[in-house]
Amino acid sequence: MTEEAELPQAPEVARTVFGEFFPEAVRYAELLADTGVKRGLIGPREVPRLWERHLLNCAVLSEVVPEGVTVCDVGSGAGLPGIPLALVRPDLKITLLEPLLRRTNFLQEVVELLGLDHVTVVRGRAEEVLGTLPPVHVVTARAVAPLDRLAGWGVPLLRPYGEMLALKGDTAEEEIQGARAALSKLGVVDASVLHVGEGLVDPLATVVRVEVGESPGGVRFAAKRAKAARTSRTRRRR
């Protein structure tokens, strides 16, 4: 029988990052280390590095999210980066989108326990909710899929001139180069690599920013969105 990994005390920098919501961040870390591990949402080896590698790394994404916008966290899993982002940015309206029931159950429990009134949990895949969820200003993601596939899921959920912010690793530049053709077909007008968390996390968090023009997802998804909108209007009239 393996010994359970112990959650370390929150580093002092966490108080700076989470501010008045530091107690809620501690509670979330405890839930991840306990319930999250028991339900298989996070590996036990991740518990000792929950703060540095997961909570803080995700929270600093807030540096590049505009004020007062709508956000959809695609493939939210155990709530990363969506919940740390919600804790540091109560001005945002965040949807945690996740297809697996055991994960959405956990996310709903966390949202209720932490009193995150500006967060909604939706069960489903990105391609399934297209046209039923209102388009958002920002899509976020972390460790979901390679950039070309991730963009295919996330970009169509955006409003015109919105952006996708994906937490990535050292191969971010290479992923952009390899995905350029796919990104262009999806209506992407620019893709770049940002580094956030200066003075707060080491190493800095790497973010791929994908910006779209007036047709997020390209022509094919524009037609799909229009069809879904027509179907929705027909149902409301009945």
Side-chain angles (χ1 to χ4, degrees):
M1 187 173 177
T2 57
E3 188 178 339
E4 289 186 11
E6 188 175 338
L7 177 68
Q9 187 175 353
E12 196 59 34
V13 68
R15 294 181 181 274
T16 302
V17 171
F18 290 100
E20 64 179 299
F21 295 99
F22 173 71
E24 285 81 1
V26 171
R27 184 73 183 110
Y28 176 49
E30 291 170 348
L31 289 166
L32 284 175
D34 183 11
T35 309
V37 171
K38 288 175 182 174
R39 296 189 191 176
L41 305 183
I42 194 164
R45 292 183 180 179
E46 296 304 310
V47 172
R49 49 189 183 180
L50 266 178
W51 283 104
E52 285 80 4
R53 182 166 177 165
H54 298 286
L55 274 75
L56 291 169
N57 186 267
C58 289
V60 295
L61 180 63
S62 66
E63 293 179 11
V64 288
V65 178
E67 284 189 27
V69 298
T70 52
V71 178
C72 182
D73 189 33
V74 172
S76 195
L80 301 164
I83 288 177
L85 183 61
L87 287 170
V88 296
R89 292 292 299 276
D91 60 299
L92 304 174
K93 289 197 177 300
I94 299 177
T95 298
L96 305 179
L97 182 62
E98 168 56 48
L100 294 184
L101 181 60
R102 63 189 171 90
R103 293 177 180 169
T104 53
N105 284 343
F106 174 77
L107 292 173
Q108 192 60 52
E109 289 166 17
V110 171
V111 166
E112 291 173 6
L113 280 167
L114 302 185
L116 300 176
D117 297 335
H118 58 305
V119 178
T120 303
V121 178
V122 173
R123 185 185 175 199
R125 300 182 186 280
E127 58 269 33
E128 295 169 346
V129 301
L130 185 64
T132 59
L133 278 184
V136 296
H137 298 90
V138 177
V139 163
T140 59
R142 178 179 189 251
V144 173
L147 185 60
D148 54 350
R149 268 195 290 150
L150 175 60
W153 300 330
V155 167
L157 300 176
L158 290 168
R159 293 169 51 139
Y161 307 103
E163 60 185 349
M164 184 176 76
L165 300 170
L167 282 159
K168 288 286 184 179
D170 296 337
T171 60
E173 289 283 4
E174 289 88 339
E175 282 200 54
I176 289 177
Q177 295 307 320
R180 285 211 180 272
L183 294 177
S184 179
K185 288 179 182 177
L186 289 166
V188 171
V189 296
D190 191 34
S192 56
V193 175
L194 311 173
H195 297 285
V196 296
E198 182 74 44
L200 299 170
V201 294
D202 184 21
L204 299 179
T206 301
V207 181
V208 171
R209 171 188 271 161
V210 172
E211 300 171 78
V212 301
E214 61 183 18
S215 300
V219 176
R220 184 164 63 93
F221 285 103
K224 193 172 180 180
R225 266 195 303 272
K227 182 179 178 182
R230 286 196 300 272
T231 303
S232 178
R233 284 197 297 272
T234 303
R235 285 175 182 160
R236 283 200 298 268
R237 284 199 293 267
R238 286 176 183 169

